[in-house]
Amino acid sequence: MSNDSSRIPGFYRLTVAERRGELRLRADLTEEDILTLERGGIDTATADRIVENVVGIYALPLGVGLNFRVNGRDVLVPMAVEEPSVIAAASNAAKMVREGGGFLAEADDPVMTAQIEVVGVEDPEEAEVRLEAATDELLALAHATLPRLADRGGGAREVEVRTHPNRVIVHVHIDCRNAMGANMVNTVAEALAARVAELAGGQSGLRILTNLCDRRRVRVSARVPARVLAAGDLDGPTVRDGIVAASRFAEDDPYRAATHNKGIMNGVDAVVIATGNDWRGVEAGAHAFAAAGGRYRPLSIWRAEGGDLVGRLEMPMAVGTVGGTLKSHAGARLAQRLLGATDASTLGMIVGCAGLASNLAALRALATEGIQRGHMALHRRGQAIPAGPAAPVLETRGQ
Ligand code: MEV
């Protein structure tokens, strides 16, 4: 087996030290990296520089999602999460997807949007005309605010005007390249606010990014041969049809859609957190997008196609590979190296794959034996920590 494969059979049976040894082989980890894994990525002094009123560090378990193949490339997926079974279940699901060729993923350009609100506008329609006529001026102002972004191939791309009664909102769409982009977008929003208010004939209101970054979406699909879905007494086609029925339930019912999407966010957030990104922003974007059509919908759907099970996920994905926490958090930098994602779009696609894998694992469990058996086995393992060695658990089999 080549060292860049994400298949590491029996990984779960190794000790933590042996698992780190495997990672050393695969990702060129140094002694320093191993210490980073041991210490959790930051010390108290660093924490004290990152946020306020620091009294300590709050740690989460960091594991690796295995078996992921994304657009033909194997990736080890770092996942930081406190919930038992999320990592094992995602790894199991990724193995099933691998049987169908792996995940296919694509990403939009990394465009984030600044919102500039103008209030007290007497004639919003006229304001819209004046603002649209000033598009070039506003784009030039935005470029002048972020001159280095253009050198990296990014920059302000488009101005869009939206009107409400008495209020005008100007959106400036900005390609942030490999940054998550919140700082850049907020800088542009503040820099343009006075001129926008003047053009609109009102008073400057809020100026801030929107987390509904629907121009920065990822789309992920997975094809799973029905035979690999078989579980216990249930054959593959029966499980496939159960997963499709579960998808339809989420499509028909917002209460179920919320839980379906929670299962997706189990995988999404774990990678977003491990890689030092703003998971609250990703969460806000995901749920706003899910509700954007006026009714809350699942972020993924599953169908039977040509006998196989096919899943498709689409969601906004504001993640970066530069800036933010990465400057200060050695653990986040290490997680990104492990992943081998050098650009934000690739990272976003992998995050989406972790989400679809988690979703598949949850739906398969729900369509078969339910989630409690495996979940509780892993939960007991957590409870047993002070008492002694871990009991064998269900979900890790076949990882
Ligand atoms: C639990 O963390 C996630 C699930 O509830 C997701 C789902 O119901 O699809 C199992």
Side-chain angles (χ1 to χ4, degrees), residues 355-379:
L356 194 61
S358 295
N359 180 223
L360 169 60
L363 298 191
R364 178 169 174 267
L366 290 167
T368 56
E369 63 173 13
I371 66 147
Q372 281 309 80
R373 189 164 155 239
H375 192 76
M376 291 321 288
L378 285 167
H379 186 68

Side-chain angles (χ1 to χ4, degrees), residues 83 86 256 259-260 262-264 266 359 362-363 366 371 375:
E83 184 173 329
V86 166
R256 174 56 208 157
T259 325
H260 178 107
K262 193 279 183 180
I264 292 172
N266 275 345
N359 180 223
L363 298 191
L366 290 167
I371 66 147
H375 192 76

Side-chain angles (χ1 to χ4, degrees), residues 60-360:
L60 282 175
L62 175 72
V64 230
L66 301 179
N67 306 322
F68 280 83
R69 176 169 287 167
V70 180
N71 292 339
R73 186 172 78 88
D74 271 31
V75 280
L76 291 172
V77 181
M79 301 176 80
V81 62
E82 86 299 345
E83 184 173 329
S85 90
V86 166
I87 299 173
S91 301
N92 259 334
K95 192 172 164 209
M96 293 175 202
V97 173
R98 202 180 171 84
E99 293 284 323
F103 295 91
L104 295 178
E106 56 175 42
D108 294 334
D109 283 343
V111 171
M112 297 294 285
T113 301
Q115 283 203 295
I116 305 167
E117 182 201 27
V118 185
V119 293
V121 179
E122 283 206 356
D123 190 339
E125 252 98 88
E126 251 186 46
E128 184 175 6
V129 172
R130 280 196 301 276
L131 285 161
E132 276 171 359
T135 293
D136 288 348
E137 178 197 341
L138 294 173
L139 286 177
L141 259 176
H143 280 300
T145 312
L146 301 170
R148 290 204 316 256
L149 182 57
D151 298 342
R152 296 197 295 271
R157 295 283 183 252
E158 194 185 325
V159 172
E160 184 191 0
V161 184
R162 297 171 56 230
T163 56
H164 291 218
N166 279 321
R167 176 193 279 130
V168 170
I169 301 125
V170 171
H171 283 189
V172 185
H173 302 292
I174 302 163
D175 183 329
C176 299
R177 293 288 91 199
N178 290 326
M180 181 275 184
N183 282 335
M184 292 180 196
V185 169
N186 293 340
T187 303
V188 168
E190 293 191 1
L192 269 56
R195 180 62 182 141
V196 166
E198 189 182 4
L199 285 162
Q203 299 91 50
S204 185
L206 300 191
R207 14 195 212 289
I208 186 82
L209 93 171
T210 171
N211 285 113
L212 176 50
C213 48
D214 54 6
R215 299 206 171 197
R216 191 179 194 175
R217 296 185 216 170
V218 293
R219 282 164 292 280
V220 175
S221 66
R223 175 176 286 274
V224 187
R227 67 180 157 75
V228 303
L229 294 165
D233 294 341
L234 300 174
D235 65 13
T238 304
V239 178
R240 176 200 63 205
D241 294 346
I243 292 171
V244 172
S247 173
R248 290 201 188 274
F249 180 12
E251 291 159 49
D252 290 345
D253 179 16
Y255 287 89
R256 174 56 208 157
T259 325
H260 178 107
N261 287 346
K262 193 279 183 180
I264 292 172
M265 300 314 284
N266 275 345
V268 166
D269 285 342
V271 187
V272 171
I273 293 171
T275 56
N277 276 286
D278 178 351
W279 75 93
R280 287 89 54 211
V282 173
E283 281 278 346
H287 300 296
F289 182 68
R295 195 164 69 87
Y296 190 86
R297 311 251 325 146
L299 296 165
S300 71
I301 60 164
W302 293 90
R303 292 288 184 268
E305 287 179 18
D308 298 334
L309 175 71
V310 176
R312 294 191 177 81
L313 169 141
E314 183 172 36
M315 63 183 293
M317 190 55 68
V319 291
T321 53
V322 295
T325 319
L326 283 165
K327 284 194 204 123
S328 44
H329 202 296
R333 285 198 298 274
L334 177 53
Q336 294 227 5
R337 249 176 60 215
L338 201 61
L339 198 59
T342 48
D343 62 274
S345 295
T346 305
L347 171 59
M349 290 189 273
I350 295 168
V351 172
C353 294
L356 194 61
S358 295
N359 180 223
L360 169 60

